[in-house]
Structure formats: structure tokens, C-alpha cells
Amino acid sequence: MTAHNRQTEKTRAAIKSAFAELVFKGRYDDIRMIDVARTANVGRSTLYMHYPDKDAILLENMAPMVEDLATATQGEDAYPKIEAVLHHIWSHRDRGRMVLFGTTGQKLENALAARVTENLKGHSGPLGLPFLANPIAAVTFTVIRTWLKGEASGAIPDIARRICLSSQALLTASR
């Protein structure tokens, strides 16, 4: 890795860390890019060189989780990935409640729908992929939010199974 690449990665890591700190301190809607730059100790122009807006930082921070959740339509093969996400969410549930609900939660749900759409390219359904991907993302986040709010309880393997079975049911129903 070149010195330039190491510096780029270091800067991006500082920005992502600063952003996460700000998300957990206050409301997402109140975060400004200048706040991220100050907290990361980088200039505004440097920040904008890496990220066009705070949504881009949020989505990059959460991309691994979204990627793993998007595998739910694969059935039993997806269980380990979904379980790993759920273990992570549960071990950080106070933060999860802040991120997976409200404005940030909706943005992540939309990102999941986009990722599911990518995964299902080539799937033929009578109404098109948005009518399949959006409900899959919605049911996934509904199950997780219901669990996090304590409205329903269950062991992580059972919750993972519920997410996968619900996603598969929607996929089957679209044929």
C-alpha cells in the first residue's frame, strides 16, 4: 500500500469514526458536515473530497450490515450472516436503537432495498423488482425493530430464520 493510500484510509477512518460519534451523541438530522470535519480534525474540502454528504458516510459505515442482510433471500445459506448481524446489533442494542429507527433507519432500509434489487437482477416478476425488494427490506427491518423494541422476543437463530423465511416467502409470492 502506498503512502497516499495509507493516508487516504486513515482520513476516511477518522471521518467515519467522527461521524459515528456524532450519530450517537445527537439527532442525525442535526449533524452537519462541518461538525463531522471538526470532530474528525480534517478540513471541509478534505471531507467533501471523500464524501459528498452525511448519508454517504452513514451508508459506508453500515454497508457490511446491509450486504449481509441482503442475503436473506438465499434461505438457509444466509442464516450465519444474518445471525452475525443480529449478534452485532444485540451487543450494541442501545446504539442500534438510535441507528435502526427514524431517519437513519429509513435510509438503511432504502439501502437494503437497493442491495436486494442488485442481488435479484434477472429475477422475473410481474410487477418489477421494486415491488419485491422494498417489501423484503421493510419486513427485515420490521422484524429487527420489533425485536429491539422488546415487542417480541426470540433467540437470535430464530430471528434470523424469521427474516430469511419472510424474505423467501415474498420472493416465492412474486413468481
Side-chain angles (χ1 to χ4, degrees):
M1 182 181 273
T2 67
H4 174 72
N5 288 343
R6 280 192 301 273
Q7 184 58 43
T8 297
E9 288 305 311
K10 184 177 175 184
T11 300
R12 289 178 76 83
I15 292 167
K16 289 166 50 176
S17 176
F19 177 78
E21 179 182 327
L22 292 169
V23 165
F24 297 130
K25 280 185 179 176
R27 292 186 50 227
Y28 180 80
D29 292 337
D30 295 336
I31 297 171
R32 300 173 305 157
M33 289 295 275
I34 188 66
D35 300 325
V36 177
R38 285 185 184 134
T39 304
N41 200 27
V42 299
R44 279 185 15 212
S45 61
T46 299
L47 174 62
Y48 281 105
M49 238 177 19
H50 294 278
Y51 298 98
D53 55 34
K54 66 183 181 182
D55 291 349
I57 307 169
L58 170 72
L59 295 176
E60 186 172 312
N61 269 353
M62 301 300 289
M65 180 192 83
V66 169
E67 181 70 31
D68 287 348
L69 289 174
T71 65
T73 57
Q74 297 171 4
E76 289 183 25
D77 292 343
Y79 287 11
K81 287 184 177 183
I82 305 297
E83 286 181 22
V85 168
L86 294 174
H87 277 290
H88 179 77
I89 290 170
W90 189 252
S91 67
H92 302 285
R93 59 190 165 276
D94 290 338
R95 290 180 172 186
R97 288 183 187 109
M98 297 171 82
V99 174
L100 299 175
F101 294 82
T103 302
T104 53
Q106 190 56 55
K107 290 176 187 304
L108 293 171
E109 188 175 315
N110 292 342
L112 178 57
R115 189 66 193 121
V116 168
T117 298
E118 285 297 314
N119 288 355
L120 295 178
K121 286 253 193 265
H123 176 80
S124 60
L127 298 175
L129 286 178
F131 283 100
L132 179 56
N134 291 343
I136 288 172
V139 77
T140 298
F141 271 85
T142 298
V143 169
I144 293 170
R145 290 174 183 137
T146 299
W147 176 58
L148 276 181
K149 286 191 288 186
E151 293 175 350
S153 62
I156 286 175
D158 296 331
I159 303 296
R161 186 171 182 271
R162 175 65 43 219
I163 289 170
C164 292
L165 289 174
S166 298
S167 296
Q168 288 179 300
L170 287 165
L171 186 59
T172 301
S174 74
R175 294 185 177 135

